Amino acid sequence: MYLDVCWSLHKHLPGNLAKMVQKYQSPVRVHKHPFEMVMAAYEKRFPTCPLIPVFLGSEVLSEVTSEDGGVRIVLRSCKLHVEAPRLLKKIAGVEHVYFIQKNTYNWKDRTLLIEARNETFESRVTVTETCCYSVHPENEDWTCFEQSASLDIKSFFGFESTVEKIAMKQYTANIKRGKEVIEYYLKELIAEGISEIQRWVPPERGAITKPTAPSCASPLSPSPDSRLDLVSLAHGSAKGGPSEPTTPEADKLDADYIERYLGKLTPMQESCLIQLRQWLQESHKGKSEAGEWKSEKIPKDEHILRFLRARDFNLDKAQEMLCQSLSWRKQYQIDYILEAWRPPAFLEEYYAGGWHFHDSSGLPLYILRLGQMDTKGLVKALGEEALLRHVLSINEEGQKRCEENTKIFGRPITSWTCVLDLEGLNMRHLWRPGVKALLQLIEVVEANYPETLGRLLIVRAPRVFPVLWTLVSPFINENTRQKFLVYSGNSYQGVGGLVEYISKEIIPDFLGGDCLCNVPEGGLVPKSLYQTEEELENTGHIKLLAETIYQSASVFKGAPHEGFYQHSSIPILSISFFF
């Protein structure tokens, strides 16, 4: 399989490539055929494989078998074609590259360990790959395949960036081709009448566990001839240290599972997900470098994937963002908020929002009648902390509904749709403490629930909306802003309106649909429910709102104002403003 991973895809990283080793880790791919059949199909790929054009041929350098026939090791030199610019090939002085591949067949354990490294330009570029075929842990008649690879570009005539791009293109084109090739040859074997192959048994037993198929078993039968040191080859790589085949564990990600529950990902995205997941597992088991977030359980795969998407699959940035969020979740016991949070009775009447079936794509649908909501009254009666807890419980409920809809609709659903009804929005909604609370809510949600909003449909936007948008939009992530659709007046009722995203029988009656919606209408919160500052402070809730990075100040015309800016990787900066 080395020719599928001969160049490893990696994330965009500036700086000195000589010190950077890019790694790829695949999910487990499953062939629903016995190990022996898969091995027969694998052998058909040699010495050449027309199904993989970059593979030009191979030559066996050595072949050795143990005395009992239980282990067979084959060393090959493989010739590959690399689709590179003519100028680069001319400067490098090569048209093809060569790899050394060592295959260790262990018939007793039913594993094949494949180790490969580049021979061409090995002093400038190091490409290594390890693959393993093994028996599925839950079904002995299925075969698992997994692989890992790394790319270390030390120097390449000043064309390091070009080599990166070639690696990306070559890898993306070929990584999933391997399973297709095996499946092709499996079908070919079955068409030839070979559906089962004997398993290896120790010579002294002389019995077999499966029917024999001599025409297929012959090329796979271990040869008794051996002039090489089998032990040294079995425990050492073609060029390097020891390596042992591994059996897929239950906590490893399966490719079919990823596609079924997380969606179609590119090979690079799969690798990022697996690497971040493995890092979390290792940190959780041992002494974590980010011990402050270490909790009872590892976050779910869809949760990890949201943070990767929020940071465009930059592993370092996603890891930093996720660790900060996990620490926050542990500190404030967010995992238990749905069980622990009990909103006051009046909140159910005056908070004009609620879940309402799902949209046409199966995404959970949330209706928020912000224009009918007395934000000032809610803040005065509840306090910012309690209001935030309610919003967080809504987000937690949303994730739970996404999981349920994934099972119901049979496809990955990881986000929800929100209809934001602004009818009734006016200047009273621009009450400064209320806007401040809104910005803090956005800050917390953006940091801890990235990529959960699939679409925001803003309807009946009044004239005052641009003012509110000007205040709020700078604090909303660009990826999130692109999911906003704004309808003014009654435009949401026509072509391209809500019916494009929500079935008419689901659209609430107050928006011209056929569905009676039980989302509260909101209204003014009675002042009798208002609490004093002291009462709000003594509610007993742990504070969720840390000091926000956003600050406000009153500045007289013509007077200077000095502020301070601090970033985790940037020293504190002093900035002066003149008005």
Side-chain angles (χ1 to χ4, degrees), residues 373-447:
M373 199 151 61
D374 180 8
T375 53
K376 179 178 180 179
L378 288 174
V379 172
K380 289 281 189 180
L382 279 174
E384 295 177 12
E385 293 291 332
L387 190 58
L388 174 60
R389 284 185 180 275
H390 188 62
V391 172
L392 295 181
S393 70
I394 292 170
N395 279 270
E396 291 293 313
E397 175 68 20
Q399 292 186 97
K400 184 179 176 181
R401 287 172 177 261
C402 284
E403 293 177 17
E404 294 171 353
N405 283 19
T406 294
K407 297 175 183 177
I408 293 172
F409 292 96
R411 60 179 181 273
I413 294 174
T414 59
S415 59
W416 54 81
T417 293
C418 177
V419 174
L420 182 61
D421 181 13
L422 297 183
E423 184 183 47
L425 188 76
N426 54 45
M427 293 302 294
R428 67 182 170 85
H429 289 90
L430 300 182
W431 176 59
R432 194 175 72 171
V435 172
K436 177 189 173 185
L438 178 60
L439 295 180
Q440 288 182 313
L441 287 173
I442 292 172
E443 184 180 343
V444 173
V445 172
E446 285 277 290

Side-chain angles (χ1 to χ4, degrees), residues 240-347:
S243 181
E244 294 291 335
T246 58
T247 301
E249 300 173 0
D251 61 355
K252 291 184 178 179
L253 287 181
D254 179 272
D256 293 335
Y257 160 81
I258 291 177
E259 186 169 345
R260 169 66 177 80
Y261 291 98
L262 304 179
K264 290 186 178 180
L265 303 178
T266 67
M268 184 200 78
Q269 292 170 345
E270 288 179 342
S271 179
C272 289
L273 173 61
I274 292 168
Q275 289 184 63
L276 183 51
R277 189 176 187 265
Q278 287 179 342
W279 182 86
L280 289 169
Q281 289 171 336
E282 292 167 3
S283 299
H284 184 263
K285 292 175 183 176
K287 184 178 181 181
S288 171
E289 295 176 4
E292 65 276 5
W293 64 260
K294 191 172 177 181
S295 59
E296 294 85 358
K297 55 186 178 180
I298 299 294
K300 295 180 180 179
D301 299 318
E302 53 267 32
H303 189 92
I304 299 172
L305 189 57
R306 287 188 181 110
F307 285 83
L308 283 166
R309 284 177 170 146
R311 291 296 177 261
D312 296 322
F313 287 88
N314 182 304
L315 264 176
D316 294 335
K317 292 181 179 179
Q319 178 179 308
E320 179 183 5
M321 183 185 185
L322 178 56
C323 285
Q324 290 175 352
S325 178
L326 291 175
S327 176
W328 172 82
R329 292 184 69 87
K330 180 184 178 184
Q331 181 178 358
Y332 300 115
Q333 298 292 295
I334 303 300
D335 288 344
Y336 308 103
I337 197 168
L338 288 179
E339 293 81 12
W341 168 243
R342 293 293 178 267
F346 74 86
L347 185 61

